Amino acid sequence: MRQKNYFCYNDNNKRYHTLNYFYQNKFHSKIFKISLNAGFTCPNIDGTVGTGGCIYCSNLGSGDFAGNKKESLTTQFYQIRDMIHKKWPEGKYIGYFQAHTNTYAPLPILKQKYEEILKIENVIGLSIATRPDSITEECLNYLEELSKRTFLTVELGLQTIHENTSKLINRCHSLECFEKMVRKLKERNIHVVIHIMNGLPFETKDMMLKTIQYINKLGIDGVKIHMLHVLKDTKLGLQYSQNPFPILTKNEYIDIVCDQLELLDPSIVIHRITGDPKKEDLIAPNWLLKKFDVLNSIDKELEKRNTYQGFQLSSQNFRKKIISENIHYHDQIYTFDESKETLNFLNTLVEQDHIFTSTTPPTQKGTLGFIYCNNPTLLCRNNLHYWQSLLHNRGIILIESKKTNDFYKEVGEEIFFLDTYFYTIKKN
């Protein structure tokens, strides 16, 4: 049976905050990002901060699906838009400056390129991919002005919070530099999306989870979760061919992503949740070529766990999970917690006249499917046998406490989640 989904940012049973959901609620329209190549380079290529670029980047600078830089931005835009327009004639568009570092040029050039796209009909915003070390104060002032008249998103590459990995992949900027730029952008009320990458060489699962926990503290608006893929004609590709390092399997990646989603602030929008390489350029892993299979597998794993984005940030979520997994619609329930929040939640699970509280007497013995108590002193030792007698054969008692209780641990199962102890006790 399909588990009920209690994720709040949801209208199609997705268990994470999808970009489509965000766009629909903000613009009430189908929104498409049009990938563009404005012909920029990168300070990590031309020697300003480094040479050779990030070791995983192709010569297109992460713009493998962007337009042809030999053509004008307007031409690039219409070539892609015209294909979309056939299926979605009422759609609106965001110009996505994707390839290389898209604030790495004199301000007059940036203005010329950005404004060219903003003039196009039904363009409601810009998304600008760049580096945290490549936005000048002059550019910041312009971006702030731009954000007041269009929907502006600045995308910053982070990939990892771990400095040793950052040096290994040749990012050539510090975590302090990144954090400082996020703060400057947010102070100007500019929408910020950051990129992280799973499966970087020699990173453990714990390291990847720590990266997610870190970004929760930044106040960002969105995240792109990438899977490292090894491409031909890259430094990473050469290293991999000479000395292959472990690449995450599909199952490992899905497990890590689901753990990351459970730790991630639910208000943060997921702009991407897997890699998207070109088949002809890919060395490894081949499972990335089946994008929809990966996306479906993530959905299935979250459903199997009965969890969702932000689940591990609140013991309240865990309480809802236990209750929803142990109640059937026709069950009768007794609850010691008469708060509006608890009663409203229980009303989503069973018929209203099947919920009993301390203001109404319990039903006869052997009829209750569930008893919930958030005050363990109300279920003292002498009364526990009585409360158990009210349960039918598959019924349980759930006791919730901020402190451990040896007695309930002896007669039931103790589960500690965040700062809360949960005890489930079945009928003798």
Side-chain angles (χ1 to χ4, degrees):
M1 184 177 71
R2 178 181 286 273
Q3 298 280 10
K4 186 161 184 178
N5 180 9
Y6 294 103
F7 183 58
C8 53
Y9 300 99
N10 156 67
D11 57 9
N12 64 354
N13 213 45
K14 284 285 188 180
R15 292 171 179 259
Y16 55 91
H17 197 157
T18 66
L19 184 58
N20 185 64
Y21 177 89
F22 171 76
Y23 283 156
Q24 286 288 349
N25 282 272
K26 184 172 182 63
F27 299 108
H28 308 290
S29 175
K30 188 72 175 175
I31 305 296
F32 298 93
K33 291 175 73 174
I34 307 293
S35 296
L36 304 166
N37 188 333
F40 295 116
T41 182
C42 176
N44 194 15
I45 292 176
D46 68 9
T48 301
V49 298
T51 57
C54 300
I55 63 173
Y56 49 77
C57 258
S58 70
N59 59 7
L60 294 174
S62 297
D64 293 12
F65 294 93
N68 185 345
K69 67 179 181 180
K70 295 180 180 179
E71 296 175 332
S72 73
L73 289 171
T74 301
T75 300
Q76 293 180 41
F77 185 94
Y78 279 117
Q79 284 176 345
I80 300 172
R81 193 220 64 165
D82 289 348
M83 291 187 289
I84 296 170
H85 194 72
K86 293 175 183 177
K87 186 174 181 180
W88 301 95
E90 303 301 320
K92 299 185 186 302
Y93 306 96
I94 289 175
Y96 179 24
F97 286 81
Q98 182 182 22
H100 291 297
T101 303
N102 291 276
T103 56
Y104 189 53
L107 187 58
I109 294 176
L110 297 179
K111 286 184 175 181
Q112 175 190 341
K113 292 180 181 294
Y114 299 163
E115 301 292 346
E116 179 181 346
I117 297 301
L118 286 174
K119 291 176 184 177
I120 298 175
E121 184 181 8
N122 286 328
V123 169
I124 50 86
L126 297 178
S127 190
I128 299 169
T130 188
R131 289 170 55 91
D133 57 3
S134 299
I135 306 178
T136 64
E137 286 297 318
E138 186 182 36
C139 181
L140 269 172
N141 292 335
Y142 170 59
L143 293 176
E144 182 179 17
E145 183 270 323
L146 201 57
S147 70
K148 293 175 181 177
R149 56 187 171 92
T150 193
F151 180 66
L152 176 69
T153 299
V154 173
E155 299 191 16
L156 295 177
L158 171 62
Q159 316 314 348
T160 178
I161 63 169
H162 305 287
E163 296 288 0
N164 287 340
T165 309
S166 187
K167 290 176 182 176
L168 177 66
I169 62 177
N170 200 41
R171 280 298 298 171
C172 293
H173 68 72
S174 67
L175 187 61
E176 181 184 7
C177 167
F178 171 84
E179 191 168 326
K180 191 177 294 184
M181 182 50 64
V182 170
R183 188 163 57 248
K184 286 183 176 182
L185 290 164
K186 293 309 299 176
E187 285 171 353
R188 294 166 187 259
N189 295 315
I190 295 171
H191 204 81
V192 176
V193 172
I194 71 169
H195 295 229
I196 65 168
M197 190 172 290
N198 290 331
L200 289 168
F202 314 115
E203 283 213 345
T204 63
K205 176 180 177 178
D206 184 61
M207 292 169 74
M208 297 176 226
L209 295 182
K210 280 185 167 57
T211 294
I212 280 287
Q213 291 171 317
Y214 166 82
I215 69 175
N216 270 344
K217 304 172 185 177
L218 298 176
I220 61 164
D221 304 280
V223 63
K224 286 187 174 181
I225 302 175
H226 299 268
M227 166 60 198
L228 176 72
H229 44 271
V230 183
L231 299 177
K232 298 172 184 176
D233 301 322
T234 64
K235 285 188 175 182
L236 184 67
L238 179 61
Q239 291 177 14
Y240 186 76
S241 64
Q242 295 175 343
N243 187 23
F245 51 84
I247 297 280
L248 294 179
T249 66
K250 174 187 158 187
N251 288 340
E252 287 172 335
Y253 181 75
I254 290 163
D255 176 66
I256 289 167
V257 167
C258 290
D259 282 0
Q260 288 175 322
L261 290 173
E262 290 177 0
L263 289 168
L264 186 66
D265 184 329
S267 68
I268 295 175
V269 180
I270 309 298
H271 285 237
R272 176 178 285 277
I273 204 166
T274 183
D276 199 12
K278 286 185 174 180
K279 182 177 181 179
E280 60 270 24
D281 296 331
L282 183 65
I283 297 175
N286 286 327
W287 57 262
L288 265 182
L289 295 173
K290 297 181 179 180
K291 178 179 177 179
F292 290 104
D293 178 54
V294 176
L295 296 176
N296 290 335
S297 296
I298 291 170
D299 291 341
K300 289 176 182 177
E301 176 61 21
L302 289 173
E303 184 179 339
K304 177 183 174 183
R305 297 182 184 192
N306 197 17
T307 59
Y308 39 83
Q309 184 178 335
F311 177 83
Q312 293 196 43
L313 300 179
S314 170
S315 57
Q316 177 184 343
N317 295 331
F318 191 72
R319 179 201 312 146
K320 288 182 177 180
K321 172 182 164 72
I322 294 178
I323 293 175
S324 65
E325 289 177 350
N326 287 279
I327 290 181
H328 296 78
Y329 183 69
H330 295 293
D331 275 345
Q332 296 186 26
I333 300 170
Y334 188 88
T335 174
F336 287 93
D337 183 1
E338 298 178 54
S339 67
K340 186 176 181 181
E341 178 189 353
T342 298
L343 293 177
N344 286 344
F345 178 65
L346 292 174
N347 280 333
T348 67
L349 300 172
V350 299
E351 299 171 75
Q352 188 169 354
D353 60 357
H354 283 196
I355 300 173
F356 299 91
T357 67
S358 59
T359 59
T360 58
T363 60
Q364 61 186 6
K365 293 182 179 181
T367 57
L368 290 180
F370 197 84
I371 298 171
Y372 170 63
C373 180
N374 63 347
N375 184 349
T377 59
L378 297 176
L379 282 174
C380 65
R381 293 169 186 256
N382 296 332
N383 283 342
L384 186 59
H385 180 72
Y386 164 70
W387 290 109
Q388 284 178 293
S389 73
L390 296 178
L391 297 175
H392 59 52
N393 289 333
R394 54 178 168 75
I396 72 165
I397 300 172
L398 174 64
I399 303 169
E400 184 176 337
S401 174
K402 291 297 180 183
K403 297 180 180 179
T404 187
N405 187 302
D406 290 338
F407 173 68
Y408 294 125
K409 190 174 183 179
E410 288 175 12
V411 296
E413 179 184 6
E414 179 191 76
I415 306 170
F416 181 69
F417 187 83
L418 293 177
D419 58 348
T420 305
Y421 294 87
F422 294 90
Y423 300 90
T424 55
I425 300 171
K426 297 181 180 180
K427 186 171 185 177
N428 288 332

